[in-house]
Amino acid sequence: MTAEITKIADALHNSPFMRACRREDVPFTPVWLMRQAGRYMPEYRAVRASMDFLELCKTPSMAAEVTVTAAERLGVDAAIIFADILLIIEPMGLALEFSKGEGPVIHNPVRTAADVERLREVEEIAALQFVFDAIRETRRALRPNLPLIGFAGAPFTLASYIVEGGASKNYVHTKSLMYNDSGAWHAMMSLISRALIKYLNAQIDEGAQAVQLFDSWVGSLSPDDYRQYVLPHTRSVIAGTKPGVPVLHFGTGTASLLELMREAGGDVIGVDWRVRLDEAWKRVGHDVAVMGNLDPVALFANQDHLRAQARSILQQADGRPGHIFNLGHGILPETPVENVIALVDMVHEMSQES
Amino acid sequence: MTAEITKIADALHNSPFMRACRREDVPFTPVWLMRQAGRYMPEYRAVRASMDFLELCKTPSMAAEVTVTAAERLGVDAAIIFADILLIIEPMGLALEFSKGEGPVIHNPVRTAADVERLREVEEIAALQFVFDAIRETRRALRPNLPLIGFAGAPFTLASYIVEGGASKNYVHTKSLMYNDSGAWHAMMSLISRALIKYLNAQIDEGAQAVQLFDSWVGSLSPDDYRQYVLPHTRSVIAGTKPGVPVLHFGTGTASLLELMREAGGDVIGVDWRVRLDEAWKRVGHDVAVMGNLDPVALFANQDHLRAQARSILQQADGRPGHIFNLGHGILPETPVENVIALVDMVHEMSQES
């Protein structure tokens, strides 16, 4: 490495976000926000006016642009590559579409063992080259000491879309397959997991400093079902990512799954607002970092209230190294931009007090 | 009281369901199922073919018929009056409609302090006479020793519909009002709570042996928000119901709210499948009864799997008096009837083993 490259690598390695992932001391609590590049932001809406969601995901220069713009506009401590958790299912042979207003639709959902048989093993990850190109372009455009997070959907959350054919309220098809043909279920989860390992490692190779696994819908499961049908697969994905690169393991509605998520792995456990951060951290153990956990709707409150809510979370973290501030889920479309910007400032400012 | 009436009152008082509410010994674990009279049942669909949902709620003879038919068909240990949690909001001046496929719509939702001002105090509960008539007719038609449960929506869940104007995913309007005008919020919650006390007590007067408070959407709140914005109101409702009549206090997604729900009150705390029953019972305390907590989707599994799931819940209850078996939420529309019937039998049979 040249001296210049070494210097950049050092700066990244010692950025507050990366230090917090490793539970090292930080000058202030690092903060980033899930879905920080999204519809609440005028710059993002302007880009989307000229191209649809999937097209944006597949145009590296534009994906890089919205990623960098959001990080710079907000002053957050990490960028996250603009992409979608469902991109990985296309090379499995699933017909994905984002219909207006309805969200993702999969035209050939998996319902039976025969459907599972038809899923394609993702041998080559090159089908997602546009994601890797976006990561490379983003890395080039980003402030050199700002970490870039790669990501993927966790096996259960991906499986739920694949089986339901889209978003779901009760996960009837998903759980029916799980309960009634556990062989087919585990085969599907294994196939997904193998693809995820390749996908995450390729993101790391292309320049992501950390990766997040989104298990957004795992809170629909009982702890026993999670342990039996999900945990081994999530564990294999996390165990399969390149060592030395922090894994953030996130879910919502996980108040009774936290210990099991910890068991599955991750350097940072993401928690939502339904559980207090101090209680969540105690339960997952202080030997792991945590991320969270402001209710995204708190961003609709007046700034006094918002400040009080953010302060409460910082107080619960108690200055312990290993807290990354975030929301408990993604920023909602109608969120006032000025409150998002204010929140980032508040976290920086309040975490330096005392 | 005549001897006959005394005998009936005794039989009701000593029915397994009522004994379990008081944590007394029972010959087998009593079971009933939320939404046991619902679309999954052909008899119910036949009735609904001739009248819409709200019409059915407002026709006492038919509401009684679907209530009794469901209880008899399933062999459950309690009936629950057929009604809807939103009926109580009409006398508050809210324009309620059940649109096909979309669920409830409130045409004049409450968004501001001025809207709260316009809400009507429910002075007389007679506007809901059809519910009381249905209870009286049901009580007459029901096996004399089978308890009848009255019910209402809890203050938060009702408020969320009133403010959002229907079902919601993120409760943005509800929480915005809560955070930005807590005076208006508490005024609305108090008005709702006063109406609920009258409503529940009238149901008791007309023949309900127990009442359930459904706080179905309370799991969207952080524990601190629950404590500040909800707990005092739910507590006032429960404290205001007639003594000696068990109150069942139910919510979903409440894994981190259980202690606070207990604090708010209730003789029986209802829990969903997202938390293990043994853990939930330990947390609310063994000096209160619990109800739950099978995942409604378990009814889509083959009967071997269903049996194993039901058995696990009974084992977690560990034969301790004060367990009422139920689902963690209502029966889903596509549920196979034969599995629902089988489940009731399984619970009766397995809880008499050993």
Side-chain angles (χ1 to χ4, degrees):
Chain A
M1 282 202 271
T2 69
E4 181 59 19
I5 290 176
T6 310
K7 218 177 95 190
I8 291 172
D10 270 4
L12 266 175
H13 188 77
N14 283 309
S15 63
F17 171 82
M18 294 302 288
R19 291 184 63 89
C21 288
R22 299 188 301 265
R23 291 177 298 112
E24 295 169 2
D25 283 328
V26 286
F28 52 83
T29 301
V31 50
W32 68 280
L33 303 168
M34 286 182 275
R35 221 181 288 145
Q36 61 194 20
R39 263 195 288 159
Y40 77 101
M41 194 175 260
E43 292 87 338
Y44 175 83
R45 288 198 302 272
V47 169
R48 278 296 308 284
S50 68
M51 57 176 77
D52 72 22
F53 178 73
L54 216 43
E55 197 184 343
L56 172 52
C57 291
K58 294 182 178 181
T59 310
S61 61
M62 296 310 294
E65 184 185 308
V66 299
T67 301
V68 174
T69 302
E72 287 181 347
R73 179 83 198 272
L74 300 179
V76 286
D77 302 295
I80 181 162
I81 189 65
F82 185 84
D84 189 83
I85 60 166
L86 294 178
L87 298 172
I88 184 78
I89 75 172
E90 286 191 311
M92 294 176 193
L94 293 157
L96 173 66
E97 190 194 349
F98 283 84
S99 64
K100 272 202 180 34
E102 274 187 69
V105 177
I106 292 131
H107 294 289
N108 51 349
V110 165
R111 297 282 163 87
T112 64
D115 294 338
V116 172
E117 285 286 324
R118 272 193 294 274
L119 282 175
R120 232 181 281 146
E121 180 80 27
V122 181
E123 305 283 358
E124 292 293 321
I125 202 68
L128 297 169
Q129 189 57 44
F130 53 87
V131 176
F132 311 135
D133 290 344
I135 289 178
R136 217 167 326 119
E137 288 204 36
T138 302
R139 194 55 281 170
R140 263 201 303 264
L142 220 49
R143 189 155 48 81
N145 63 346
L146 197 71
L148 175 62
I149 306 169
F151 73 89
F156 175 78
T157 293
L158 290 180
S160 80
Y161 281 106
I162 290 172
V163 178
E164 302 294 339
S168 178
K169 200 176 159 197
N170 297 307
Y171 304 92
V172 169
H173 296 296
T174 309
K175 292 178 181 177
S176 294
L177 181 62
M178 196 186 257
Y179 295 147
N180 291 325
D181 193 342
S182 65
W185 172 262
H186 285 297
M188 176 177 63
M189 290 287 276
S190 299
L191 183 146
I192 294 170
S193 300
R194 290 190 295 273
L196 286 174
I197 294 171
K198 286 180 191 147
Y199 184 40
L200 290 169
N201 283 335
Q203 292 186 52
I204 293 167
D205 286 342
E206 301 292 342
Q209 279 67 53
V211 289
Q212 175 153 328
L213 216 45
F214 283 87
D215 216 352
S216 311
W217 310 136
V218 77
S220 60
L221 293 172
S222 73
D224 292 335
D225 283 353
Y226 180 84
R227 184 188 291 281
Q228 186 172 351
Y229 299 109
V230 176
L231 194 152
H233 303 287
T234 300
R235 178 192 275 144
S236 83
V237 173
I238 296 175
T241 59
K242 307 214 162 190
V245 175
V247 176
L248 297 86
H249 184 188
F250 166 78
T252 71
T254 56
S256 58
L257 300 178
L258 289 171
E259 291 87 348
L260 295 171
M261 286 176 66
R262 170 75 208 270
E263 210 178 309
D267 301 277
V268 184
I269 305 295
V271 298
D272 79 7
W273 65 94
R274 294 177 182 88
V275 58
R276 281 178 58 93
L277 188 83
D278 49 4
E279 150 121 13
W281 207 348
K282 201 167 80 186
R283 282 177 44 210
V284 295
H286 291 136
D287 55 342
V288 70
V290 292
M291 180 175 75
N293 71 341
L294 186 71
D295 187 339
V297 185
L299 287 166
F300 291 79
N302 60 68
Q303 292 195 6
D304 284 347
H305 190 92
L306 177 59
R307 180 180 294 272
Q309 303 262 74
R311 190 189 299 278
S312 166
I313 291 168
L314 291 171
Q315 282 167 345
Q316 291 173 55
D318 201 21
R320 185 179 286 116
H323 175 222
I324 295 163
F325 196 102
N326 206 322
L327 305 178
H329 208 170
I331 300 180
L332 294 165
E334 311 295 325
T335 304
V337 183
E338 62 274 19
N339 281 5
V340 182
I341 295 170
L343 173 65
V344 173
D345 290 343
M346 287 173 191
V347 172
H348 285 157
E349 174 202 315
M350 291 191 291
S351 63
Q352 290 177 80
E353 288 167 8
S354 92
Chain B
M1 282 202 267
T2 68
E4 182 60 19
I5 289 176
T6 311
K7 220 177 92 190
I8 290 172
D10 271 4
L12 265 176
H13 188 77
N14 284 308
S15 62
F17 171 82
M18 295 301 288
R19 292 184 62 89
C21 288
R22 300 188 300 267
R23 290 176 298 114
E24 295 169 3
D25 281 329
V26 285
F28 52 83
T29 301
V31 50
W32 70 280
L33 303 169
M34 287 183 274
R35 220 179 290 145
Q36 62 195 20
R39 263 193 288 158
Y40 77 102
M41 193 176 260
E43 292 87 339
Y44 175 84
R45 288 198 301 270
V47 170
R48 277 297 307 286
S50 67
M51 55 177 76
D52 71 22
F53 178 74
L54 215 43
E55 197 184 344
L56 172 53
C57 290
K58 295 182 177 182
T59 309
S61 61
M62 296 311 293
E65 184 185 309
V66 299
T67 302
V68 174
T69 301
E72 286 179 348
R73 179 81 199 272
L74 300 181
V76 285
D77 301 294
I80 181 161
I81 190 64
F82 186 85
D84 189 84
I85 60 166
L86 293 178
L87 298 172
I88 184 78
I89 75 171
E90 286 192 309
M92 294 177 192
L94 293 158
L96 173 65
E97 189 194 349
F98 284 84
S99 64
K100 270 199 182 33
E102 275 187 68
V105 178
I106 292 129
H107 294 288
N108 51 350
V110 167
R111 298 280 164 86
T112 65
D115 294 337
V116 172
E117 284 288 323
R118 273 194 293 274
L119 282 175
R120 233 182 279 147
E121 181 80 28
V122 181
E123 306 283 359
E124 293 294 321
I125 201 69
L128 297 169
Q129 189 56 43
F130 54 87
V131 175
F132 311 134
D133 290 345
I135 288 178
R136 220 170 320 121
E137 287 205 38
T138 302
R139 193 56 282 170
R140 263 201 302 267
L142 219 51
R143 188 154 49 81
N145 63 348
L146 197 71
L148 176 62
I149 305 168
F151 73 89
F156 174 78
T157 292
L158 291 180
S160 80
Y161 281 107
I162 290 172
V163 178
E164 303 293 337
S168 178
K169 200 176 160 198
N170 297 307
Y171 303 93
V172 170
H173 296 297
T174 309
K175 292 179 182 178
S176 295
L177 181 62
M178 195 185 257
Y179 296 147
N180 291 326
D181 193 342
S182 65
W185 171 262
H186 284 297
M188 175 176 66
M189 290 288 276
S190 299
L191 183 146
I192 294 170
S193 299
R194 291 191 295 273
L196 286 175
I197 293 171
K198 287 180 188 146
Y199 184 40
L200 290 169
N201 283 335
Q203 293 186 52
I204 292 167
D205 287 342
E206 300 294 344
Q209 279 67 52
V211 288
Q212 176 154 328
L213 216 45
F214 283 87
D215 217 350
S216 310
W217 308 138
V218 77
S220 60
L221 294 173
S222 73
D224 292 334
D225 283 352
Y226 180 85
R227 183 188 291 280
Q228 184 172 354
Y229 299 109
V230 176
L231 194 153
H233 303 288
T234 300
R235 177 193 275 144
S236 83
V237 173
I238 295 175
T241 59
K242 307 212 163 190
V245 176
V247 176
L248 297 87
H249 184 188
F250 166 77
T252 69
T254 57
S256 59
L257 300 177
L258 289 171
E259 291 87 347
L260 296 170
M261 286 176 66
R262 169 75 209 271
E263 209 179 308
D267 301 278
V268 183
I269 306 295
V271 297
D272 80 7
W273 65 94
R274 294 177 182 89
V275 57
R276 280 180 58 94
L277 189 83
D278 49 4
E279 150 122 13
W281 207 347
K282 202 167 79 184
R283 281 177 44 207
V284 295
H286 291 135
D287 55 341
V288 70
V290 292
M291 179 173 77
N293 67 341
L294 186 70
D295 187 339
V297 184
L299 287 164
F300 291 79
N302 61 69
Q303 292 195 6
D304 284 347
H305 190 92
L306 177 59
R307 180 181 294 270
Q309 302 262 74
R311 189 189 300 275
S312 165
I313 291 168
L314 291 170
Q315 282 168 344
Q316 291 174 54
D318 201 22
R320 185 179 286 115
H323 176 220
I324 295 163
F325 195 102
N326 206 321
L327 305 178
H329 208 170
I331 300 180
L332 294 165
E334 312 295 326
T335 305
V337 184
E338 63 275 19
N339 281 5
V340 182
I341 295 170
L343 172 66
V344 173
D345 290 342
M346 287 173 192
V347 171
H348 285 158
E349 173 201 317
M350 290 191 290
S351 62
Q352 289 176 81
E353 287 168 8
S354 89

